[in-house]
Amino acid sequence: MDEIKIQNDNIKDICDEVLSVINAVRFPDVETLLNRDKEVIYSQLDKRIAADLVARKKRSFFLKTLPAACLCMLIACGIAFFAYAIGKQTVKEEPQQEISLMEVTSQKGTVSKFALPDSTIVTLNGESRLSYPMKFGNKRDVSLTGEAIFEVASDPLHSFIVSTKEFVIQAVGTRFVVRAYDEDMRAFVTLEEGSVNAMLKGSSAKDNILLQPSQQLELNRETGALTRRTVDTQLYSSWAEGILDFKDMTLNEIAKVLERRFNIRIVISSEALGKVSYGAQFKYGETPEQILKTLSYRRNWKFSKQDNYYEIVQFKH
């Protein structure tokens, strides 16, 4: 019995040493748990010793190996508790990662050209804004207000998606133009190369409209009508080269284009006059005065200018 008592004391010394090492880590959850179960471990060890005394034939082997077995058991428990505490503390201390967004804004009178994280090239027209993540994930999602040309870097595994107020446009590698100013009566998606799927927000997948090169999808915001047609794409992207192409555009729409290009203000006094359509092209370098003078030729209106403010007034012959 003295031999057993000595072995029991040795086991408790080993337990104390292991517990003191684990407690020294000072993780509150581990320390509380181990202190709470310390006496339970001692009790279980005493019961194990008493049970093994019955098997006298195995007594000698048990007494020799018990300290090592207890030590291994306690170390294993300590490692498990330690890992649990670290994991728990990591979850508590690590804040939830948020997606960092970048935003590029092109003011009136400016055109901005830049590259996205995937090497897609964007040309942003005046009074436009593009938001995108600093790093793309499984999808390359961007959000546009205004007008932009997208030269999408090819990546068949990761779709490139442009969202506007009404449209969702999905591409893989292509070149297309989106015009989606909030205040305009019409919004356009014009495809130059490749192919894109376009749909209205809130629509189902079956309502996707596939565009081929030289096709355009127009949304009339007044009527809600969607129209797909073949167009001369140069008319809708030439602004990036400083050329203004007006084809079947109302004077109201032309005035908006001029305001964004030259950072001016144009007021049309007559509602009916603003709805008259025009067709004309103006090269880089022509001033607002020259453009308005050309448009007013043989028309029943004239314009006046004061600083950056222009007023178009209708007159009778």
Side-chain angles (χ1 to χ4, degrees), residues 263-278:
N263 191 19
I264 59 177
R265 173 74 171 135
I266 299 176
V267 175
I268 303 173
S269 61
S270 168
E271 182 178 348
L273 184 61
K275 295 180 179 180
V276 177
S277 296
Y278 294 79

PDB file of all heavy atoms in Angstrom, residues 263-278:
ATOM      1  N   ASN A 263     -19.745  71.349 -69.119  1.00  0.00           N
ATOM      2  CA  ASN A 263     -20.005  71.855 -67.764  1.00  0.00           C
ATOM      3  C   ASN A 263     -20.733  73.204 -67.818  1.00  0.00           C
ATOM      4  O   ASN A 263     -20.305  74.209 -67.242  1.00  0.00           O
ATOM      5  CB  ASN A 263     -18.709  71.987 -66.965  1.00  0.00           C
ATOM      6  CG  ASN A 263     -18.970  72.238 -65.485  1.00  0.00           C
ATOM      7  OD1 ASN A 263     -20.061  71.973 -64.982  1.00  0.00           O
ATOM      8  ND2 ASN A 263     -17.980  72.770 -64.798  1.00  0.00           N
ATOM      9  N   ILE A 264     -21.850  73.186 -68.536  1.00  0.00           N
ATOM     10  CA  ILE A 264     -22.664  74.391 -68.686  1.00  0.00           C
ATOM     11  C   ILE A 264     -24.099  74.070 -68.269  1.00  0.00           C
ATOM     12  O   ILE A 264     -24.431  72.923 -67.972  1.00  0.00           O
ATOM     13  CB  ILE A 264     -22.654  74.915 -70.140  1.00  0.00           C
ATOM     14  CG1 ILE A 264     -23.197  73.830 -71.091  1.00  0.00           C
ATOM     15  CG2 ILE A 264     -21.246  75.333 -70.550  1.00  0.00           C
ATOM     16  CD1 ILE A 264     -23.294  74.276 -72.546  1.00  0.00           C
ATOM     17  N   ARG A 265     -24.927  75.090 -68.290  1.00  0.00           N
ATOM     18  CA  ARG A 265     -26.346  74.927 -67.972  1.00  0.00           C
ATOM     19  C   ARG A 265     -27.161  75.448 -69.147  1.00  0.00           C
ATOM     20  O   ARG A 265     -26.964  76.576 -69.610  1.00  0.00           O
ATOM     21  CB  ARG A 265     -26.681  75.705 -66.700  1.00  0.00           C
ATOM     22  CG  ARG A 265     -28.157  75.748 -66.358  1.00  0.00           C
ATOM     23  CD  ARG A 265     -28.638  74.440 -65.815  1.00  0.00           C
ATOM     24  NE  ARG A 265     -30.002  74.550 -65.286  1.00  0.00           N
ATOM     25  CZ  ARG A 265     -30.971  73.676 -65.525  1.00  0.00           C
ATOM     26  NH1 ARG A 265     -30.754  72.632 -66.314  1.00  0.00           N
ATOM     27  NH2 ARG A 265     -32.164  73.823 -64.986  1.00  0.00           N
ATOM     28  N   ILE A 266     -28.099  74.607 -69.663  1.00  0.00           N
ATOM     29  CA  ILE A 266     -28.945  74.988 -70.788  1.00  0.00           C
ATOM     30  C   ILE A 266     -30.407  74.873 -70.369  1.00  0.00           C
ATOM     31  O   ILE A 266     -30.835  73.823 -69.867  1.00  0.00           O
ATOM     32  CB  ILE A 266     -28.683  74.106 -72.022  1.00  0.00           C
ATOM     33  CG1 ILE A 266     -27.229  74.244 -72.481  1.00  0.00           C
ATOM     34  CG2 ILE A 266     -29.634  74.470 -73.164  1.00  0.00           C
ATOM     35  CD1 ILE A 266     -26.876  73.331 -73.643  1.00  0.00           C
ATOM     36  N   VAL A 267     -31.157  75.919 -70.579  1.00  0.00           N
ATOM     37  CA  VAL A 267     -32.585  75.934 -70.273  1.00  0.00           C
ATOM     38  C   VAL A 267     -33.362  76.145 -71.556  1.00  0.00           C
ATOM     39  O   VAL A 267     -33.065  77.073 -72.315  1.00  0.00           O
ATOM     40  CB  VAL A 267     -32.928  77.039 -69.250  1.00  0.00           C
ATOM     41  CG1 VAL A 267     -34.437  77.117 -69.045  1.00  0.00           C
ATOM     42  CG2 VAL A 267     -32.219  76.764 -67.925  1.00  0.00           C
ATOM     43  N   ILE A 268     -34.346  75.293 -71.798  1.00  0.00           N
ATOM     44  CA  ILE A 268     -35.202  75.401 -72.986  1.00  0.00           C
ATOM     45  C   ILE A 268     -36.556  75.918 -72.531  1.00  0.00           C
ATOM     46  O   ILE A 268     -37.235  75.279 -71.709  1.00  0.00           O
ATOM     47  CB  ILE A 268     -35.340  74.042 -73.694  1.00  0.00           C
ATOM     48  CG1 ILE A 268     -33.947  73.510 -74.075  1.00  0.00           C
ATOM     49  CG2 ILE A 268     -36.221  74.153 -74.927  1.00  0.00           C
ATOM     50  CD1 ILE A 268     -33.958  72.100 -74.626  1.00  0.00           C
ATOM     51  N   SER A 269     -36.954  77.056 -73.055  1.00  0.00           N
ATOM     52  CA  SER A 269     -38.155  77.737 -72.551  1.00  0.00           C
ATOM     53  C   SER A 269     -39.442  77.042 -72.946  1.00  0.00           C
ATOM     54  O   SER A 269     -40.458  77.147 -72.262  1.00  0.00           O
ATOM     55  CB  SER A 269     -38.186  79.185 -73.058  1.00  0.00           C
ATOM     56  OG  SER A 269     -38.219  79.217 -74.479  1.00  0.00           O
ATOM     57  N   SER A 270     -39.447  76.310 -74.056  1.00  0.00           N
ATOM     58  CA  SER A 270     -40.663  75.676 -74.559  1.00  0.00           C
ATOM     59  C   SER A 270     -40.577  74.155 -74.421  1.00  0.00           C
ATOM     60  O   SER A 270     -39.608  73.537 -74.866  1.00  0.00           O
ATOM     61  CB  SER A 270     -40.886  76.051 -76.024  1.00  0.00           C
ATOM     62  OG  SER A 270     -41.892  75.251 -76.615  1.00  0.00           O
ATOM     63  N   GLU A 271     -41.601  73.548 -73.827  1.00  0.00           N
ATOM     64  CA  GLU A 271     -41.633  72.095 -73.682  1.00  0.00           C
ATOM     65  C   GLU A 271     -41.719  71.405 -75.037  1.00  0.00           C
ATOM     66  O   GLU A 271     -41.058  70.394 -75.274  1.00  0.00           O
ATOM     67  CB  GLU A 271     -42.827  71.698 -72.813  1.00  0.00           C
ATOM     68  CG  GLU A 271     -42.927  70.203 -72.550  1.00  0.00           C
ATOM     69  CD  GLU A 271     -44.087  69.837 -71.640  1.00  0.00           C
ATOM     70  OE1 GLU A 271     -44.681  70.757 -71.027  1.00  0.00           O
ATOM     71  OE2 GLU A 271     -44.397  68.635 -71.544  1.00  0.00           O
ATOM     72  N   ALA A 272     -42.510  71.961 -75.935  1.00  0.00           N
ATOM     73  CA  ALA A 272     -42.658  71.378 -77.267  1.00  0.00           C
ATOM     74  C   ALA A 272     -41.353  71.448 -78.047  1.00  0.00           C
ATOM     75  O   ALA A 272     -40.989  70.510 -78.763  1.00  0.00           O
ATOM     76  CB  ALA A 272     -43.766  72.094 -78.032  1.00  0.00           C
ATOM     77  N   LEU A 273     -40.630  72.534 -77.896  1.00  0.00           N
ATOM     78  CA  LEU A 273     -39.364  72.708 -78.596  1.00  0.00           C
ATOM     79  C   LEU A 273     -38.348  71.665 -78.145  1.00  0.00           C
ATOM     80  O   LEU A 273     -37.556  71.156 -78.950  1.00  0.00           O
ATOM     81  CB  LEU A 273     -38.829  74.125 -78.338  1.00  0.00           C
ATOM     82  CG  LEU A 273     -37.550  74.529 -79.067  1.00  0.00           C
ATOM     83  CD1 LEU A 273     -37.742  74.474 -80.583  1.00  0.00           C
ATOM     84  CD2 LEU A 273     -37.126  75.926 -78.631  1.00  0.00           C
ATOM     85  N   GLY A 274     -38.365  71.335 -76.887  1.00  0.00           N
ATOM     86  CA  GLY A 274     -37.413  70.362 -76.358  1.00  0.00           C
ATOM     87  C   GLY A 274     -37.611  68.961 -76.892  1.00  0.00           C
ATOM     88  O   GLY A 274     -36.695  68.126 -76.826  1.00  0.00           O
ATOM     89  N   LYS A 275     -38.803  68.660 -77.445  1.00  0.00           N
ATOM     90  CA  LYS A 275     -39.095  67.324 -77.948  1.00  0.00           C
ATOM     91  C   LYS A 275     -38.812  67.161 -79.435  1.00  0.00           C
ATOM     92  O   LYS A 275     -38.991  66.064 -79.986  1.00  0.00           O
ATOM     93  CB  LYS A 275     -40.558  66.981 -77.666  1.00  0.00           C
ATOM     94  CG  LYS A 275     -40.870  66.880 -76.174  1.00  0.00           C
ATOM     95  CD  LYS A 275     -42.330  66.536 -75.945  1.00  0.00           C
ATOM     96  CE  LYS A 275     -42.640  66.420 -74.453  1.00  0.00           C
ATOM     97  NZ  LYS A 275     -44.073  66.091 -74.213  1.00  0.00           N
ATOM     98  N   VAL A 276     -38.360  68.218 -80.107  1.00  0.00           N
ATOM     99  CA  VAL A 276     -38.039  68.141 -81.537  1.00  0.00           C
ATOM    100  C   VAL A 276     -36.724  67.389 -81.720  1.00  0.00           C
ATOM    101  O   VAL A 276     -35.747  67.624 -81.010  1.00  0.00           O
ATOM    102  CB  VAL A 276     -37.940  69.545 -82.148  1.00  0.00           C
ATOM    103  CG1 VAL A 276     -37.540  69.467 -83.619  1.00  0.00           C
ATOM    104  CG2 VAL A 276     -39.270  70.278 -81.995  1.00  0.00           C
ATOM    105  N   SER A 277     -36.690  66.457 -82.696  1.00  0.00           N
ATOM    106  CA  SER A 277     -35.506  65.624 -82.925  1.00  0.00           C
ATOM    107  C   SER A 277     -34.545  66.259 -83.926  1.00  0.00           C
ATOM    108  O   SER A 277     -34.959  66.994 -84.836  1.00  0.00           O
ATOM    109  CB  SER A 277     -35.912  64.241 -83.432  1.00  0.00           C
ATOM    110  OG  SER A 277     -36.653  63.558 -82.443  1.00  0.00           O
ATOM    111  N   TYR A 278     -33.238  65.921 -83.759  1.00  0.00           N
ATOM    112  CA  TYR A 278     -32.175  66.467 -84.623  1.00  0.00           C
ATOM    113  C   TYR A 278     -31.216  65.340 -84.985  1.00  0.00           C
ATOM    114  O   TYR A 278     -31.160  64.300 -84.336  1.00  0.00           O
ATOM    115  CB  TYR A 278     -31.404  67.574 -83.901  1.00  0.00           C
ATOM    116  CG  TYR A 278     -32.217  68.801 -83.604  1.00  0.00           C
ATOM    117  CD1 TYR A 278     -33.104  68.842 -82.536  1.00  0.00           C
ATOM    118  CD2 TYR A 278     -32.103  69.955 -84.391  1.00  0.00           C
ATOM    119  CE1 TYR A 278     -33.856  69.971 -82.251  1.00  0.00           C
ATOM    120  CE2 TYR A 278     -32.840  71.086 -84.120  1.00  0.00           C
ATOM    121  CZ  TYR A 278     -33.721  71.089 -83.056  1.00  0.00           C
ATOM    122  OH  TYR A 278     -34.468  72.214 -82.787  1.00  0.00           O
TER     123      TYR A 278
END
